[in-house]
């Protein structure tokens, strides 16, 4: 085109003020052209007209090529996957039609977006605000509508539920003590109700809600769920109903929160299942199952050993940063069995049962250093982490659940019983010692060395030994009951040797020191239940009055030193007559500490141990008479 244009004499040419793109516009002439004679002007005009025609044809061609030729990616596609020769013309037509409709769609979309943007810009700030608000409310409404309608679960025979409304003691002084414990429960509950309702826990001094990393950033009313069965047993039915209502209306697990699988299992699933069995209210069962579904992705690891934490919304799991070599924790993945067996029993879904049985099988195949189970196991490699063994923190409830699996199965799960017996035998050989002063203690095993330190958490083992005495091998029942009594005595000493008569978090048996904490950061008491738990089991098996006496000492100390106007708080130093508070009312104080105290001052027909097994958070689950039943997914069924 440029060469064509340059062949015309430049002086004869006028530049069109407007280039005709559509051919509808007429070129205007420059003022100079108007002074030429008419015929010359006519001649020039026709030349110009031709030129303009050529130019406009060229521009139209370029424009068409830009928009209508197939793009590069399409070329590539057709090179890499040529159609069979006889389909070529048809395929070409199809491609063109496809492109055409795609272009139309893009054009329409762009036009709509442009139009919307224009309209938005025309609106005032208030109009825009109102619009955003309407959108927001619509999303909330949609979410509400989407909330799962609880699916009815398959009916299963309800296990025999006995002794849930009994327990009135005959002796007036015992009754008085029991009433006092109920009053303490009411103070803890009412304070939470008033200041922390819906939050996981309570700050009784600041008088506001509280939560820790085990619940992620959720607000799932942990105290409500954990306290329900205690309220029920204590006959606090209005409070129970209040809690039930909150759960019906607010407890939602579709939250973007990374929670501890273990804690959520023992407190929430255990608490909801116990509330279901005690009250028969379907809502608790449905919520327990909904939550359990959210925990299942935690088991998606190369070994099937679950992650310590899982995000309830995304299902992504991971382990605690502090755990040895990315390990999962024995006391965490080993404390799921009771709840998961019940879930399979109630739903008919074999997944829960299979998950926990898989863990058991995997552990059975592993080498155990000195017959001991290390606290750490890597879920990717299936190998142990550091060789630390503990009957306290990180190990404790793994052993507890082996024994309780056997009890809960109406003593038919003999594999669990055997595993428990073997583990306890190794623990006795390597971890249990007598101090110079004659106190039996359970130390911590660290890479072949025994640390002569016992934790408050370890004190639960006294009750466990007593509970496992019946059924122990080689007629050693008497021995284990005695061992339970010795641990109870040692733990009582750890309370008695303090100023506040409350036990420290950990205590030593070293260099002349016995049952006392040495380090400042081990002197706190956070309303833990383990020592009182052991008193209660020992009371049930021996009826020795000293256990009620010791329990009452602890209850009085808690009421005197931990009670504040806004609830109950932990204390930072049990050796100080003027302790400072930690300002946390733990949910396990209502679930466990107060429940075990209440049971201690009740008669044995409240929650008889032949019919109920308490999970590690003191939530009672009924014994399943599995001899007459087959769990879906079990060997017998396969
Ligand atoms: C409770 O949450 C459970 O008892 C758990 O097994 C370990 N300890 C706390 C209370 O101390």
């Amino acid at each position: 085109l440029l060469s064509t244009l340059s062949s015309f004499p430049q002086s004869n040419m006028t530049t069109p003020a407007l280039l005709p793109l559509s051919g509808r516009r007429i070129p205007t002439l420059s003022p100079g052209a108007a002074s030429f004679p008419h015929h010359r002007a006519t001649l020039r005009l026709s030349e110009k007209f031709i030129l303009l025609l050529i130019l406009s044809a060229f521009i139209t061609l370029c424009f068409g090529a830009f928009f209508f030729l197939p793009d590069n990616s399409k070329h590539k596609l057709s090179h890499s996957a040529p159609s069979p020769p006889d389909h070529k013309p048809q395929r070409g037509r199809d491609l063109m039609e496809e492109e055409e409709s795609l272009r139309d769609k893009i054009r329409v979309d762009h036009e709509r977006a442009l139009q919307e943007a224009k309209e938005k810009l025309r609106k005032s700030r208030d109009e825009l605000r109102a619009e955003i608000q309407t959108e927001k409310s619509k999303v909330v409404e949609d979410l509400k509508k989407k909330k799962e309608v609880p699916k009815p679960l398959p009916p299963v025979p309800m296990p025999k539920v006995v002794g849930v409304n009994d327990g009135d003691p005959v002796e007036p002084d015992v009754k008085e003590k029991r009433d006092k414990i109920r009053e303490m429960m009411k103070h803890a509950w009412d304070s939470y109700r008033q200041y922390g309702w819906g939050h996981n826990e309570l700050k009784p001094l600041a008088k506001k809600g509280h939560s820790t990393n085990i619940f992620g950033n959720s607000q799932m009313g942990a105290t409500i769920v954990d306290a329900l069965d205690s309220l029920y047993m204590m006959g606090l039915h209005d409070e129970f109903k209040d809690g039930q209502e909150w759960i019906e209306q607010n407890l939602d697990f579709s939250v973007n929160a990374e929670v501890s699988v273990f804690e959520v299992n023992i407190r929430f699933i255990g608490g909801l299942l116990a509330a279901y069995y005690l009250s028969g209210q379907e809502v608790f069962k449905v919520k327990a199952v909904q939550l359990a579904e959210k925990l299942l992705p935690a088991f998606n690891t190369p070994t099937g050993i679950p992650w310590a934490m899982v995000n309830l919304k995304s299902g992504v799991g991971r382990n605690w940063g502090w755990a040895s070599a990315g390990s999962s924790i024995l006391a965490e993945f080993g404390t799921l069995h009771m709840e998961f067996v019940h879930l399979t029993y109630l739903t008919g879904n074999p997944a829960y049962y299979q998950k926990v049985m898989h863990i058991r099988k995997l552990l059975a195949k592993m080498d155990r250093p000195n017959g001991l189970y290390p606290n750490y196991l890597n879920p990717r490699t299936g190998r142990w982490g550091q060789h630390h063994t503990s009957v306290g923190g990180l190990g404790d409830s793994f052993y507890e659940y082996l024994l309780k699996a056997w009890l809960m199965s109406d003593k038919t799960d003999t594999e669990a019983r055997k595993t428990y017996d073997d583990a306890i035998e190794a623990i006795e050989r390597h971890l249990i010692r007598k101090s110079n002063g004659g106190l039996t203690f359970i130390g911590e095993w660290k890479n072949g060395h025994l640390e002569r330190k016992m934790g408050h958490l370890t004190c639960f083992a006294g009750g466990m030994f007593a509970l496992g005495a019946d059924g122990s091998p080689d007629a050693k029942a008497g021995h284990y009951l005695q061992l339970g009594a010795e641990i109870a005595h040692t733990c009582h000493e750890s309370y008695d040797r303090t100023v506040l008569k409350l036990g420290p978090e950990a205590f030593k048996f070293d260099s002349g020191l016995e049952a006392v904490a040495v380090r400042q950061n081990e002197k706190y008491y956070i309303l833990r239940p383990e020592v009182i738990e052991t008193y209660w089991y020992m009371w049930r098996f021996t009826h020795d009055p000293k256990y009620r006496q010791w329990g009452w000492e602890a209850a009085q100390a808690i009421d005197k030193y931990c009670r504040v106007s806004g609830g109950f708080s932990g204390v930072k130093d049990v050796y100080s007559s003027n302790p400072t508070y930690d300002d946390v009312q733990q949910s396990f104080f209502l679930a466990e500490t107060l429940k075990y105290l209440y049971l201690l001052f009740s008669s044995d027909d409240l929650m008889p141990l032949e019919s109920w097994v308490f999970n590690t958070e003191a939530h009672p689950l009924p014994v399943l008479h599995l001899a007459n039943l087959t769990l879906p997914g079990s060997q017998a069924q396969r």
Side-chain angles (χ1 to χ4, degrees), residues 39-336:
H39 71 276
R40 275 194 70 191
T42 313
L43 185 72
R44 279 201 182 172
L45 265 176
S46 61
E47 282 171 13
K48 279 177 191 162
F49 190 65
I50 292 163
L51 254 178
L52 282 172
L53 264 180
I54 294 169
L55 193 64
S56 63
F58 173 72
I59 288 167
T60 311
L61 201 73
C62 291
F63 188 72
F66 182 78
F67 282 99
F68 297 107
L69 281 181
D71 69 38
N72 208 19
S73 61
K74 292 256 168 58
H75 282 299
K76 273 187 208 145
L77 190 78
S78 60
H79 286 312
S80 59
S83 342
D86 51 334
H87 288 158
K88 253 186 185 165
Q90 180 55 38
R91 186 174 154 70
R93 256 199 309 280
D94 288 352
L95 264 177
M96 275 171 67
E97 274 168 22
E98 211 178 284
E99 279 165 9
E100 185 61 32
S101 73
L102 200 70
R103 259 192 303 276
D104 285 348
K105 193 179 171 308
I106 292 170
R107 219 174 282 133
V108 171
D109 283 353
H110 281 185
E111 273 162 19
R112 194 187 311 122
L114 203 67
Q115 192 55 31
E116 276 170 13
K118 274 184 195 159
E119 277 164 19
K120 278 253 149 68
L121 283 173
R122 249 182 260 128
K123 283 184 183 155
S124 73
R125 189 179 280 193
D126 284 346
E127 277 176 314
L128 284 174
R129 252 194 219 129
E131 220 170 71
I132 291 167
Q133 198 44 51
T134 323
E135 286 284 317
K136 267 190 186 170
S137 327
K138 198 173 161 288
V139 171
V140 172
E141 274 309 302
D142 287 354
L143 273 178
K144 267 191 202 154
K145 268 186 227 149
K146 262 196 210 156
K147 261 191 187 172
E148 285 160 56
V149 185
K151 273 187 250 143
L153 295 170
V156 283
M158 185 77 164
K160 223 165 111 206
V161 173
V162 287
V164 298
N165 293 312
D166 301 324
D168 268 347
V170 199
E171 313 88 326
D173 63 315
V174 179
K175 195 172 164 3
E176 212 174 284
K177 287 175 178 136
R178 191 165 96 133
D179 288 347
K180 173 64 190 169
I181 306 300
R182 190 196 282 112
E183 184 278 324
M184 288 168 75
M185 178 73 185
K186 195 146 162 47
H187 178 60
W189 174 263
D190 288 347
S191 304
Y192 167 77
R193 179 78 181 83
Q194 189 174 354
Y195 305 117
W197 194 234
H199 289 266
N200 289 320
E201 291 176 324
L202 166 72
K203 282 175 107 45
L205 286 115
K207 297 188 172 168
K208 60 179 192 184
H210 168 76
S211 199
T212 56
N213 63 341
I214 58 173
F215 306 116
N217 55 1
S218 70
Q219 206 177 305
M220 300 198 298
T223 297
I224 301 176
V225 182
D226 234 5
L228 279 175
D229 52 8
S230 299
L231 293 170
Y232 194 92
M233 280 181 215
M234 294 181 191
L236 295 169
H237 294 302
D238 288 345
E239 289 77 0
F240 180 89
K241 265 187 72 190
D242 224 8
Q244 179 175 343
E245 256 168 50
W246 185 89
I247 286 170
E248 277 163 352
Q249 287 160 21
N250 302 287
L251 189 54
D252 177 17
F253 305 114
S254 306
V255 286
N256 185 8
E258 196 178 48
V259 301
S260 155
V261 174
F262 158 77
E263 296 287 359
V264 162
N265 176 56
I266 65 168
R267 300 189 199 210
F268 282 82
I269 297 190
L272 290 165
L273 290 178
Y276 166 67
Y277 283 121
L278 291 179
S279 69
Q281 295 294 311
E282 194 78 4
V283 59
F284 299 124
K285 178 167 71 165
V286 172
K287 293 281 178 188
V289 176
Q290 282 174 0
L291 177 55
E293 284 295 309
K294 301 270 178 195
L295 296 188
L296 286 181
F299 291 80
N300 295 337
T301 65
T303 56
I305 295 290
W307 299 115
M309 285 173 280
V310 71
N311 184 304
L312 292 178
K313 190 161 212 166
S314 67
V316 174
R318 70 179 175 102
N319 274 343
W320 303 112
W322 49 260
S324 160
S327 291
S328 300
I329 307 294
L330 182 70
E332 298 197 332
F333 64 77
T335 309
L336 303 165

Side-chain angles (χ1 to χ4, degrees), residues 360 405-417 623-629:
R360 184 191 284 180
W406 173 69
L407 289 167
M408 205 185 76
S409 69
D410 197 19
K411 304 187 178 171
T412 57
D413 186 353
T414 49
E415 184 182 68
R417 174 77 217 205
V623 169
L624 294 175
H625 297 278
L626 295 175
N628 320 322
L629 268 176

Side-chain angles (χ1 to χ4, degrees), residues 226 262-263 266-267 335 396-397 400 456-457 526-530 533 588 592 616-618:
D226 234 5
F262 158 77
E263 296 287 359
I266 65 168
R267 300 189 199 210
T335 309
D396 46 11
S397 42
E400 178 186 352
H456 192 290
L457 288 165
I526 56 167
L527 305 169
R528 285 200 193 276
E530 292 77 16
E533 174 181 350
F588 54 67
E592 299 191 72
T616 194
E617 188 79 0

